[in-house]
Amino acid sequence: MANVPIKNPSFDDAAKTKFADAVAIMLKVQIAASGCESVDNADGAINSRALGYMYGFIDAALRTIGQDMADLSVGVPMTFQIFRRLFPGSEERYVQFLRAGLQKDVGMTTAMMVGGQQYIDFNNGKVVAPMGLSRILIGAA
């Protein structure tokens, strides 16, 4: 029998809303610290590393509450809702970009790992304020 993650039955609509709000706030702080308002580069191209970082961050946050990003009823909708809170009007474009690059873009994949680890380190008290997204957006990482 395969390892099947146990779903958290308390992850109802109210819990999803609170989760999306909380994660969006954590990411919004990093975006604000960078002085950016979007993950589009100056030339209009989407910053794949920024989206990868956010994906990894969201994935780790979901895992800490017993949810799985791979669950299509959880991962995609939560990512969409968080992007909607951060980048109103661009959320669909960013989710589609992520889907297209997840298995192909090495920079995105690397940033995913950094985002996930920073969330875990923050959750475990090893990092006071995760700032990897801010560093990516200003070009320092």
Side-chain angles (χ1 to χ4, degrees):
M1 180 177 239
N3 263 346
V4 178
I6 299 170
K7 288 197 177 204
N8 183 344
S10 65
F11 201 52
D12 58 14
D13 288 343
K16 288 176 182 175
T17 298
K18 283 183 181 180
F19 175 86
D21 289 343
V23 173
I25 288 168
M26 287 187 271
L27 292 169
K28 189 174 278 196
V29 167
Q30 294 188 57
I31 294 166
S34 75
C36 296
E37 294 179 9
S38 78
V39 295
D40 293 337
N41 294 325
D43 62 2
I46 296 172
N47 184 328
S48 67
R49 292 179 59 233
L51 287 184
Y53 178 95
M54 288 187 280
Y55 181 92
F57 198 89
I58 296 165
D59 180 33
L62 283 168
R63 288 182 187 279
T64 63
I65 61 165
Q67 298 300 315
D68 187 356
M69 180 67 95
D71 181 340
L72 293 178
S73 70
V74 174
V76 173
M78 292 312 308
T79 302
F80 182 89
Q81 289 302 319
I82 292 165
F83 284 177
R84 186 170 149 253
R85 285 161 173 76
L86 297 171
F87 315 109
S90 296
E91 61 274 15
E92 186 174 347
R93 183 168 66 102
Y94 291 162
V95 168
Q96 291 301 328
F97 187 87
L98 258 177
R99 288 186 55 186
L102 280 176
Q103 303 280 325
K104 302 171 192 162
D105 186 323
V106 175
M108 182 185 286
T109 303
T110 302
M112 246 175 17
M113 291 184 282
V114 171
Q117 189 61 55
Q118 281 195 356
Y119 181 85
I120 291 166
D121 289 346
F122 171 73
N123 195 52
N124 291 333
K126 294 180 180 177
V127 171
V128 176
M131 282 291 149
L133 177 58
S134 185
R135 293 176 55 80
I136 289 169
L137 290 172
I138 63 172

